[in-house]
Amino acid sequence: DNLSSEKIIKRIQVATHQAKADLVLKNAKIVNVHNQTLEEGDIAIVDGIIGAIGPNYEGTEEIDLQGKIVTPAFIDSHMHIESSMLSPPQLAKAIIPEGTLTIIADPHEIANVKGLD
């Protein structure tokens, strides 16, 4: 997916409050993983990605989260897939809905679950 100059300009305009986002999640409590705080604000989404986080964004569509907590996706930094007793696709079905989108897998004994094929 090439990022055209038009898309870049649109994203900058949204981030600087010069244009409406496609979608704004209003009144969220956003987990800041860098300083371990909850920050109140809006999440402006443009072209399917987060374009800005902060106060007073406007969107073509707006959803009021009424103070619900929003977190980034989680990364499991050390996982033994075989210990889950699941195949990788089944493990993915179990962890993705809970917010874990990346795992750092220690492949030791993966053949116990995967088999020889």
Side-chain angles (χ1 to χ4, degrees):
D1 182 28
N2 291 335
L3 191 57
S4 68
S5 59
E6 291 84 15
K7 283 187 177 184
I8 293 170
I9 290 168
K10 181 179 176 185
R11 291 176 187 181
I12 291 170
Q13 288 174 333
V14 167
T16 58
H17 295 274
Q18 297 175 31
K20 285 187 175 185
D22 302 325
L23 170 66
V24 176
L25 304 176
K26 306 282 289 175
N27 304 310
K29 288 185 180 174
I30 304 155
V31 174
N32 184 326
V33 298
H34 297 289
N35 63 18
Q36 301 176 356
T37 61
L38 287 177
E39 298 179 7
E40 295 182 9
D42 300 336
I43 302 170
I45 299 170
V46 58
D47 298 325
I49 66 160
I50 296 174
I53 296 175
N56 305 315
Y57 282 97
E58 295 182 3
T60 304
E61 180 181 357
E62 296 182 354
I63 299 172
D64 186 353
L65 295 185
Q66 301 175 342
K68 290 186 174 124
I69 296 174
V70 178
T71 66
F74 295 112
I75 299 172
D76 188 330
S77 63
H78 188 157
M79 159 72 85
H80 294 271
I81 296 174
E82 70 280 0
S83 297
S84 72
M85 302 299 288
L86 298 170
S87 66
Q90 291 300 326
L91 177 63
K93 286 181 184 177
I95 65 174
I96 289 172
E98 301 301 322
T100 300
L101 298 185
T102 302
I103 64 170
I104 310 301
D106 182 344
H108 119 330
E109 296 186 35
I110 191 65
N112 293 345
V113 174
K114 179 68 175 151
L116 299 175
D117 294 333

